[in-house]
Amino acid sequence: MINTTGRTLPIKEAFARHFLHGIDEAYAATEEMRDWLNRDRATRALLCADRMIDDAEKLLNSYQEKSKGQTKGLHTPLPVILIAFGRDTQPASPDRLRPLPNPEYVQLAENGETYQWRVDLVEQRVQIAFFAHTAETARAMTSQMRLFFQRYGNNRFPVRWQFGGYEFDLTANIQDLPASDDIADLDGRTNLTVLTWTFTLDYQIPHITAPTPHELTNSGKIRGFKVVTQTGVEVKRV
């Protein structure tokens, strides 16, 4: 049974899915973009290791290294969008979000098992690097993606969590989407244009517990608490 609560991987995966939805809406403003959009969907934008944030050259080198020997990526095709998350997280600004430090009883589905949860609210820096051979293509990519995120509601996206055999969604928010692109210069790579965005995500990290040792119900869920002594908070699946 997979439990993902307390981790940051679900955040990264959820953001990547949301970002790919924006790419799905893009059209080929240049021939280079046409080649990009004709590639396999999963190769248009990729997550990179956290340690590579703020270093566009390391991001590109990592992409090229992973592509070696792969039939589809033998020549490390461009354009590509590479995404890196900052290693550290910070408590979210209290004027926007507040954590839930005291355990509360929750149900993760209608009439589901009852667990206890606490919720941390944090901020994490994210960098997106757009790599293309021509400046025209790079600008077309950032322009279309910025319009996607500026649309009402697209600065928010659901994050899917798993615990006890249940799945439930919480929401993450994109803060301070940059109004302009930053240019990254790569030494000796005069045939590349690299534009970057850096912004902050704020999101909830749920920490959920059940009676230990864990027992399973007849339906395969982790058995919850039998007695609820306080008013619970119900989290419904979206």
Side-chain angles (χ1 to χ4, degrees), residues 35-202:
D35 293 340
W36 175 56
L37 293 173
N38 284 338
R39 294 209 315 262
D40 184 86
R41 185 174 185 266
T43 66
R44 300 171 191 167
L46 302 171
L47 289 171
C48 295
D50 297 352
R51 66 181 181 276
M52 296 179 186
I53 193 168
D54 298 325
D55 194 327
E57 186 145 17
K58 283 186 178 179
L59 288 172
L60 182 59
N61 289 341
S62 173
Y63 170 61
Q64 292 175 325
E65 185 65 28
K66 289 179 180 178
S67 298
K68 286 181 179 179
Q70 298 178 12
T71 302
K72 292 184 179 180
L74 183 61
H75 303 294
T76 56
L78 298 179
V80 71
I81 300 173
L82 302 180
I83 304 168
F85 283 69
R87 287 186 176 186
D88 59 331
T89 59
Q90 303 293 332
S93 174
D95 62 347
R96 288 204 302 266
L97 297 169
R98 293 185 181 276
L100 180 66
N102 297 319
E104 292 186 356
Y105 290 104
V106 296
Q107 291 182 331
L108 305 179
E110 190 77 26
N111 300 318
E113 293 293 307
T114 300
Y115 305 120
Q116 282 190 330
W117 83 342
R118 295 168 298 149
V119 181
D120 196 11
L121 301 174
V122 300
E123 297 179 345
Q124 188 171 18
R125 198 162 56 93
V126 179
Q127 186 174 74
I128 301 176
F130 300 78
F131 294 84
H133 286 298
T134 66
E136 185 178 37
T137 295
R139 286 194 298 266
M141 293 166 70
T142 61
S143 176
Q144 292 190 52
M145 291 305 300
R146 183 177 288 107
L147 290 174
F148 171 77
F149 285 113
Q150 287 175 338
R151 188 184 309 156
Y152 179 77
N154 277 0
N155 66 319
R156 298 161 60 88
F157 58 93
V159 180
R160 176 62 52 90
W161 300 92
Q162 296 174 289
F163 181 85
Y166 297 97
E167 293 184 338
F168 63 100
D169 288 349
L170 298 176
T171 301
N173 299 277
I174 299 170
Q175 300 291 338
D176 305 321
L177 185 74
S180 59
D181 308 324
D182 291 326
I183 299 176
D185 292 323
L186 303 187
D187 292 340
R189 297 180 186 262
T190 57
N191 64 333
L192 285 181
T193 295
V194 185
L195 302 179
T196 65
W197 294 351
T198 303
F199 54 85
T200 300
L201 287 182
D202 64 48

